[in-house]
Amino acid sequence: MPKAKIAFSYDCAYPWHVGGIETINMLESSALAKKFDVYFYTLRWPGMRRRFVMSGVRYDAMFRISQRRLYLHKRRSIRAALMYSLSMFRLFGNNFDLLVVDEFPYLHLPVVMLYKKFSGAKVAIRVAEVWDLEYWRRYLGVFGGSIAYFLSKTLIRGADIYIANTENTKELISKEYGISNNKIEVFTPVLNDSEVALARRRNKDCSSRQIVFAGRLIKEKRLDLWLSTVREVIHKMPDVTGVIIGDGPERDSIKSMIKNMGLERSVKMLSPLPKSRLYKEIRCSAMLLNMSEREGLSMITLESLALGTPVVLPSNSPIPKEIKRLCVVEESSQLPDRIIEMIRKGKKDFHVDASELSKFSVSNILPFYEKIMKKLGIT
């Protein structure tokens, strides 16, 4: 009996471009490739071959892209989104049973739905964030944001199933897009149990007075507020240090802020690290401080919690409530004093029940997809 054919698609691919969605796509596609024929359609990043196989997944990379071309004025480029959308016509050369795509950057969705109509394939759209009209207008201006909001609500319709990363996102999909709840599943596999366990064993006695951030260096991560908070902590506790791990369009601006705040000796910047080194930095830190104003899930928050490192959030953090309740939450003005108190106490009393994080384990990938494929009539 032939294997079911599954296609994943996103304009960015791990490890050429590192982020939460890229990591999840890699984890899911490689896990499913052990049982099904799995393909991955993406743009072609520097150092990437046109076609190749990695972890059992057949990659097809079309149209050259780079970090510089992906962003325009520190926002995702519409031209890059159009390139990605055109590249999706490659789907018509194959007969897939299931196509898994992310909702962003939206312009590819008409091609996906056209393919669905002519091929009979089932389509699953993964939704990480739902932006309302106000947020779209802040992001693209009143005119551009209004158009984008209308398009996002229109283009996302028509999938057979929607995969929300949290219960909060599921509620927003229903509210903003009018999608029926029985078409929405909640699933986000981000924690590799063996990698987390290995990092905890290797760095068992590792500790420092370091405050860490890891993620995309974009404006929405609010590294300006992160640096201001860390500076206040260092002013009262001079042996505290900070580290910012990641890359993105705000990198040069953040470097300038570090210099202007006189933090060159206290705060270092590191490029994206291999998972083992990233986990070591987090495990050895006193805490992870996340000041982001836009988060659909925050994979790095879950990883930090799993590694036994507390996560500190401002009270207005958009991180979903099922994750936020596992973190230390404080009013922004009180964060420096709370952080100092935590550093003095150490991490010995910090503990998150493993059952709270089990639903985010990658071990759930195959059972989850087998369930939705059965639901969709894919054998």
Side-chain angles (χ1 to χ4, degrees):
M1 186 174 180
K3 297 179 180 179
K5 291 180 68 175
I6 303 173
F8 284 78
S9 182
Y10 191 53
D11 55 358
C12 304
Y14 184 96
W16 292 271
H17 193 274
V18 179
I21 294 175
E22 293 88 341
T23 302
I24 292 169
N25 276 327
M26 179 273 295
L27 291 170
E28 291 188 347
S29 60
S30 58
L32 293 175
K34 296 175 182 177
K35 186 171 182 178
F36 306 106
D37 285 334
V38 180
Y39 294 70
F40 196 107
Y41 291 90
T42 187
L43 295 179
R44 190 175 179 184
W45 290 82
M48 183 185 283
R49 299 191 302 278
R50 174 69 175 81
R51 292 186 178 90
F52 60 97
V53 177
M54 184 174 72
S55 300
V57 180
R58 303 176 193 182
Y59 283 76
D60 189 325
M62 186 176 184
F63 294 139
R64 294 184 183 275
I65 190 68
S66 64
Q67 177 77 20
R68 180 179 59 82
R69 295 174 66 189
L70 184 67
Y71 288 91
L72 181 65
H73 305 307
K74 299 183 179 182
R75 293 187 178 92
R76 282 292 200 106
S77 163
I78 294 177
R79 180 182 178 185
L82 288 170
M83 287 170 51
Y84 173 55
S85 303
L86 290 173
S87 77
M88 294 296 285
F89 281 100
R90 291 170 292 171
L91 292 170
F92 288 87
N94 275 290
N95 292 316
F96 293 109
D97 298 292
L98 176 65
L99 177 58
V100 183
V101 300
D102 288 273
E103 92 278 19
F104 198 80
Y106 296 103
L107 298 183
H108 63 298
L109 294 178
V111 182
V112 170
M113 296 308 169
L114 189 65
Y115 174 77
K116 168 181 163 60
K117 179 179 179 180
F118 283 98
S119 70
K122 301 298 183 181
V123 171
I125 296 180
R126 185 191 289 110
V127 183
E129 298 178 4
V130 178
W131 295 3
D132 59 14
L133 178 59
E134 180 184 355
Y135 193 91
W136 272 115
R137 285 178 170 175
R138 289 206 310 269
Y139 191 72
L140 292 176
V142 174
F143 181 70
S146 299
I147 293 175
Y149 175 68
F150 171 77
L151 286 174
S152 69
K153 294 185 66 169
T154 304
L155 298 180
I156 201 169
R157 295 178 179 275
D160 297 284
I161 199 162
Y162 297 82
I163 304 174
N165 57 355
T166 66
E167 290 291 342
N168 183 60
T169 301
K170 178 179 179 178
E171 292 173 10
L172 291 173
I173 292 172
S174 179
K175 176 184 175 182
E176 290 290 337
Y177 300 147
I179 305 296
S180 172
N181 278 327
N182 62 14
K183 294 183 72 174
I184 309 171
E185 298 283 345
V186 178
F187 184 57
T188 307
V190 298
L191 297 176
N192 187 314
D193 302 325
S194 59
E195 288 183 348
V196 169
L198 180 61
R200 292 187 71 131
R201 287 197 306 271
R202 284 182 172 176
N203 306 291
K204 186 175 181 180
D205 300 317
C206 178
S207 63
S208 71
R209 292 192 166 194
Q210 175 175 278
I211 302 171
V212 64
F213 166 87
R216 296 286 301 149
L217 304 186
I218 55 177
K219 185 178 180 182
E220 290 79 6
K221 297 297 183 180
R222 296 312 304 264
L223 270 302
D224 55 338
L225 297 181
W226 190 95
L227 286 168
S228 296
T229 302
V230 171
R231 180 177 60 178
E232 287 192 47
V233 172
I234 292 173
H235 180 72
K236 297 178 180 179
M237 190 177 277
D239 61 339
V240 169
T241 60
V243 59
I244 296 171
I245 305 168
D247 203 358
E250 291 291 320
R251 187 174 185 84
D252 290 341
S253 297
I254 295 166
K255 281 185 178 179
S256 296
M257 282 190 279
I258 290 172
K259 183 178 180 180
N260 292 337
M261 291 183 183
L263 294 173
E264 299 102 314
R265 294 185 179 181
S266 302
V267 177
K268 62 183 178 180
M269 295 186 70
L270 300 177
S271 296
L273 299 173
K275 188 60 68 78
S276 60
R277 287 187 58 199
L278 173 64
Y279 278 7
K280 181 178 180 180
E281 287 287 344
I282 295 173
R283 174 69 171 165
C284 293
S285 295
M287 69 196 63
L288 182 139
L289 175 63
N290 187 339
M291 302 294 288
S292 178
E293 68 178 14
R294 193 186 91 203
E295 290 286 358
L297 174 77
S298 184
M299 178 176 174
I300 200 67
T301 292
L302 287 169
E303 290 176 308
S304 183
L305 293 171
L307 288 166
T309 297
V311 176
V312 179
L313 307 172
S315 57
N316 61 352
S317 172
I319 286 178
K321 56 188 176 184
E322 61 259 48
I323 301 171
K324 195 172 183 179
R325 64 184 179 82
L326 305 175
C327 304
V328 176
V329 182
E330 187 59 82
E331 293 293 328
S332 296
S333 61
Q334 301 300 314
L335 279 174
D337 289 337
R338 184 65 178 274
I339 289 171
I340 289 171
E341 177 188 342
M342 290 175 64
I343 290 175
R344 285 175 174 158
K345 287 180 64 177
K347 296 192 292 185
K348 60 182 182 297
D349 296 328
F350 177 74
H351 175 73
V352 174
D353 193 323
S355 63
E356 298 276 8
L357 302 175
S358 60
K359 64 182 177 181
F360 300 105
S361 171
V362 299
S363 63
N364 299 319
I365 292 174
L366 186 58
F368 172 79
Y369 273 93
E370 287 179 330
K371 181 186 76 171
I372 67 169
M373 289 169 71
K374 182 179 181 180
K375 182 177 179 179
L376 297 174
I378 300 172
T379 57

